[in-house]
Amino acid sequence: DAGITQSPRHKVTETGTPVTLRCHQTENHRYMYWYRQDPGHGLRLIHYSYGVKDTDKGEVSDGYSVSRSKTEDFLLTLESATSSQTSVYFCAITSSANTGELFFGEGSRLTVL
Amino acid sequence: ELKVEQNPLFLSMQEGKNYTIYCNYSTTSDRLYWYRQDPGKSLESLFVLLSNGAVKQEGRLMASLDTKARLSTLHITAAVHDLSATYFCAAHGSSNTGKLIFGQGTTLQVKP
């Protein structure tokens, strides 16, 4: 158990509404990541964090923002959700073994109507 | 910019047969990862390949890495139904940030 929890696990919302997904870790890892998974695209990196208040963009960051005010929480915000953001979102942390291996949360399925 | 491509994207095979999934990546990466995902579930780490020539085996799955060819393979020996899943490979986009770039995934269906 990598000690990652995501919330909510499922959410249905309407176009134009704000949405925040939360990733919580219990193991004090420095690096945290948000990916989205869509059929035919594998997983694509949205944003990542390398410490409190330190974040950077990934491959598909447009329309998303993140915040990390404490080590254990990494928040992903869709300021104004669009149907193209319907996806499954995964949070990940790096393993403590320093191999670069990522461990993933259970995922958050977001549907934007 | 690192790109990772897998083939095939879908594989239907009979139990007992052997097959290989290929993972090509476009720029230098010293590490390669394989993950498994069951429908509706999260990703589970299968193999971490940390150097050229690395080979790892677990049960009926064997992964290898050739950094000169920028190629990793996942070989399935005598497939069984329980191996039906989607398999992803991933390479390091930047080793000092830890971010991984994933292939599109290969969906494996093993039929009795």
Side-chain angles (χ1 to χ4, degrees), chain A residues 31 33 35 37 99 101-102 105, chain B residues 31 33 37 42 45 97 100:
Chain A
Y31 288 92
Y33 308 84
Y35 285 86
Q37 182 177 25
T99 60
E101 183 182 14
L102 297 189
Chain B
R31 301 179 178 189
Y33 306 82
Q37 185 181 38
S42 185
S45 179
T97 63
L100 297 188

Side-chain angles (χ1 to χ4, degrees), chain A residues 31 33 35 37 40-43 45 48 57-59 90 94 98-107 109, chain B residues 1-2 31 33 35 37 40-46 48 50 88 92 96-105:
Chain A
Y31 288 92
Y33 308 84
Y35 285 86
Q37 182 177 25
H41 291 279
L43 276 79
L45 182 64
Y48 64 100
K57 297 179 179 180
E59 306 166 81
F90 286 98
T94 48
N98 204 31
T99 60
E101 183 182 14
L102 297 189
F103 288 107
F104 288 85
E106 293 301 308
R109 180 175 295 275
Chain B
E1 180 185 341
L2 174 63
R31 301 179 178 189
Y33 306 82
Y35 288 84
Q37 185 181 38
K41 302 294 186 182
S42 185
L43 282 80
E44 171 192 357
S45 179
L46 289 176
V48 178
L50 298 177
F88 292 94
H92 259 147
N96 63 347
T97 63
K99 57 183 183 180
L100 297 188
I101 305 300
F102 282 79
Q104 312 97 307

Side-chain angles (χ1 to χ4, degrees), chain B residues 39-108:
Chain B
K41 302 294 186 182
S42 185
L43 282 80
E44 171 192 357
S45 179
L46 289 176
F47 299 110
V48 178
L49 302 169
L50 298 177
S51 60
N52 185 44
V55 177
K56 294 277 184 77
Q57 183 161 4
E58 179 75 31
R60 300 174 187 274
L61 300 177
M62 184 175 71
S64 65
L65 177 61
D66 181 344
T67 58
K68 295 178 182 177
R70 297 178 186 162
L71 172 68
S72 179
T73 60
L74 181 66
H75 186 72
I76 303 150
T77 301
V80 293
H81 180 68
D82 285 352
L83 290 179
S84 297
T86 298
Y87 294 85
F88 292 94
C89 64
H92 259 147
S94 171
S95 60
N96 63 347
T97 63
K99 57 183 183 180
L100 297 188
I101 305 300
F102 282 79
Q104 312 97 307
T106 297
T107 298
L108 174 65

Side-chain angles (χ1 to χ4, degrees), chain A residues 36-104:
Chain A
R36 61 177 287 174
Q37 182 177 25
D38 305 288
H41 291 279
L43 276 79
R44 293 179 290 175
L45 182 64
I46 305 171
H47 281 279
Y48 64 100
S49 170
Y50 46 95
V52 173
K53 298 192 192 310
D54 290 324
T55 65
D56 206 349
K57 297 179 179 180
E59 306 166 81
V60 290
S61 59
D62 287 349
Y64 301 94
S65 63
V66 290
S67 66
R68 191 161 178 208
S69 59
K70 44 186 179 177
T71 300
E72 57 265 37
D73 288 327
F74 190 31
L75 304 181
L76 177 70
T77 297
L78 293 66
E79 300 289 348
S80 177
T82 67
S83 59
S84 65
Q85 293 175 312
T86 293
S87 187
V88 180
Y89 292 87
F90 286 98
C91 176
I93 59 173
T94 48
S95 77
S96 57
N98 204 31
T99 60
E101 183 182 14
L102 297 189
F103 288 107
F104 288 85

